[in-house]
Amino acid sequence: MSTEHVLDDRPRGHTRARIRESATKVPEVTVYFWIIKVLTTGMGETASDFLAHLLGPIPAVGLGGLAFAASLVLQFAVRRYVAWIYWTAIVMVSVFGTMAADVLHVGLGVPYLLSTPLFLVALAAVFALWYATERTLSIHSIRTRRREVFYWAAVLATFALGTAAGDLTATIGLGYAGSVVLFAVAICVPALAHRSGLLGAVAAFWTAYVLTRPLGASLADWMAMSTGRGGLGWGLGPVTLSWTVAIVGFVTYLAVSRRDTERAM
């Protein structure tokens, strides 16, 4: 998944007026989208763990929940896609989604073998309700408040599912490095399947979207965790900071260049 045309499922007959009839609330799917998406997943993973160690699990979850709610309020308040607002919301979803998965496992003792399929069922339920209501799951259709609600519900579910799946593979023998390789290979599958005509654009997009979470989280964990745990030992704080700087850099570039805004057909 690298460029906007790979996952663009819009009919080619759309006119300029039809495209502009209402403003989209999400970015175009470009290579920058996937880079920032992976960065936010890793940053959310290490930031969640860092805050839990620094503040304690309960205060961290409370702070994460407030930041998550505030970012979504801001995202829903604007009338069109704004790069820094959208990606701030994604970062907060990443942090809070990680916390939600961790609370289920650490706080309630639910094993990853159970939480992973539970989050998968939750995501499937969101998609089923979304499609039954709107008859589409395309991100190019996010032009109404109701569709935006479905979109962010799906995004939150994908982050929680990806977190649990990444932790599952890391704890059943693959380790962090092995998980990185696994999900790096896995994320190529929907792209290749779409290019060969075996998978539709929407299904390919959401499959890849789910896989970015365990890919980014496994990579960040591998960098941050101690060598005794199979990591590089760089630490949660430094990895969180470095990935945050990278996110800010890419988002600033997009805000200035507008390379991820919808173009007229």
Side-chain angles (χ1 to χ4, degrees):
M1 303 295 184
S2 59
T3 58
E4 62 272 21
H5 74 276
V6 174
L7 293 176
D8 192 343
D9 62 340
R10 291 169 294 187
R12 299 302 176 185
H14 276 186
T15 64
R16 182 184 300 266
R18 180 64 179 273
I19 290 293
R20 291 183 174 178
E21 66 182 1
S22 58
T24 184
K25 296 293 294 290
V26 300
E28 284 286 281
V29 180
T30 67
V31 64
Y32 301 105
F33 176 92
W34 295 112
I35 291 173
I36 302 174
K37 177 62 169 61
V38 171
L39 287 171
T40 60
T41 64
M43 180 270 186
E45 175 77 11
T46 55
S48 174
D49 291 341
F50 179 74
L51 289 173
H53 283 89
L54 182 66
L55 304 176
I58 295 178
V61 171
L63 180 62
L66 288 174
F68 164 68
S71 66
L72 283 189
V73 167
L74 184 58
Q75 168 65 22
F76 276 91
V78 296
R79 304 180 72 175
R80 63 179 63 241
Y81 165 71
V82 179
W84 73 269
I85 293 177
Y86 173 87
W87 287 110
T88 296
I90 289 292
V91 167
M92 291 301 102
V93 170
S94 177
V95 173
F96 188 70
T98 301
M99 290 177 174
D102 288 344
V103 164
L104 196 62
H105 176 71
V106 178
L108 301 179
V110 178
Y112 293 127
L113 278 171
L114 179 58
S115 62
T116 300
L118 283 177
F119 285 127
L120 179 60
V121 170
L123 177 60
V126 171
F127 281 148
L129 183 58
W130 183 356
Y131 188 80
T133 305
E134 303 294 336
R135 310 309 298 175
T136 180
L137 300 179
S138 171
I139 66 166
H140 298 301
S141 71
I142 312 301
R143 298 173 180 275
T144 67
R145 179 58 55 85
R146 185 166 63 184
R147 289 182 180 182
E148 191 175 10
V149 170
F150 281 125
Y151 173 78
W152 286 101
V155 167
L156 180 59
T158 64
F159 273 90
L161 169 61
T163 298
D167 288 337
L168 172 63
T169 60
T171 56
I172 61 173
L174 286 180
Y176 299 117
S179 295
V180 171
V181 174
L182 171 65
F183 292 115
V185 172
I187 203 169
C188 295
V189 174
L192 294 174
H194 176 66
R195 285 184 180 275
S196 63
L198 298 176
L199 192 64
V202 174
F205 170 82
W206 283 113
T207 302
Y209 197 93
V210 170
L211 290 170
T212 58
R213 175 58 185 175
L215 173 61
S218 297
L219 181 58
D221 276 338
W222 176 61
M223 296 170 65
M225 295 302 171
S226 66
T227 55
R229 297 180 61 184
L232 296 178
W234 293 357
L236 293 170
V239 171
T240 299
L241 179 60
S242 61
W243 285 49
T244 300
V245 170
I247 292 168
V248 171
F250 277 108
V251 173
T252 299
Y253 169 72
L254 292 179
V256 173
S257 68
R258 300 181 63 82
R259 293 288 298 273
D260 62 339
T261 57
E262 188 175 67
R263 294 177 294 281
M265 301 297 292

